[in-house]
Amino acid sequence: MKRAITFILFLLSFNYCFSQEVPMFEINSDNVLDYYSQISKSNLQRSSVSVAAQIGNNNLIEVWDNAGASIIITQLGDNNTTLYQNYNAYPATAEIAIRGSNNLVHVEGSNSISDGMKMNINANDMTILMRNN
């Protein structure tokens, strides 16, 4: 009898160790972190990357992106504003570096021309509006 119970427990634990999917109704506050760690360890590719770095006072960065994109924005100075709005389905990569004060950069949309765009601004009191369709 002891051997039979041990064998049944072994089969249950063996099945539990090699299961790949967890039904949604079994996810609760106790095991949700384990569930997400399983997803992150799977071979899923990252759909978008956004990096924002600000050094200074009263800086603002806002990013709206419908497509998976890679966006890197750096602001060095005071009172800088960067607005990146991509309502298109075209994923693009962009690097925007601002060094100065009181600058406004507004990028709207993306296309094949703006893919891989690198914008370097080394000035004060500049306004740049870029619209792509």
Side-chain angles (χ1 to χ4, degrees):
M1 184 68 175
K2 194 177 202 181
R3 208 176 243 181
I5 292 173
T6 306
F7 182 72
I8 291 171
L9 290 175
F10 173 76
L11 287 179
L12 290 175
S13 66
F14 184 77
N15 188 24
Y16 178 74
C17 290
F18 289 102
S19 64
Q20 293 182 0
E21 293 185 17
V22 177
M24 293 303 283
F25 64 87
E26 290 183 6
I27 297 174
N28 57 33
S29 61
D30 294 330
N31 62 5
V32 69
L33 295 177
D34 294 331
Y35 174 73
Y36 282 111
S37 69
Q38 288 176 1
I39 291 174
S40 66
K41 290 178 184 175
S42 65
N43 292 331
L44 298 176
Q45 293 182 352
R46 194 181 283 180
S47 63
S48 67
V49 175
S50 296
V51 177
Q54 297 178 346
I55 299 174
N57 297 316
N58 301 320
N59 291 321
L60 174 68
I61 295 176
E62 291 185 3
V63 176
W64 294 283
D65 192 12
N66 283 343
S70 174
I71 302 166
I72 300 171
I73 300 172
T74 307
Q75 293 181 341
L76 302 173
D78 297 328
N79 302 314
N80 293 313
T81 301
T82 302
L83 305 172
Y84 185 90
Q85 301 171 335
N86 184 12
Y87 299 111
N88 301 335
Y90 187 86
T93 59
E95 291 182 29
I96 301 171
I98 300 171
R99 184 173 291 176
S101 296
N102 301 317
N103 294 307
L104 170 66
V105 176
H106 185 175
V107 178
E108 188 172 315
S110 66
N111 56 22
S112 61
I113 296 171
S114 65
D115 189 18
M117 172 184 69
K118 292 184 180 182
M119 187 182 296
N120 293 314
I121 300 164
N122 295 316
N124 294 324
D125 304 315
M126 297 289 291
T127 299
I128 298 176
L129 301 174
M130 181 177 178
R131 293 201 173 113
N132 301 306
N133 291 324

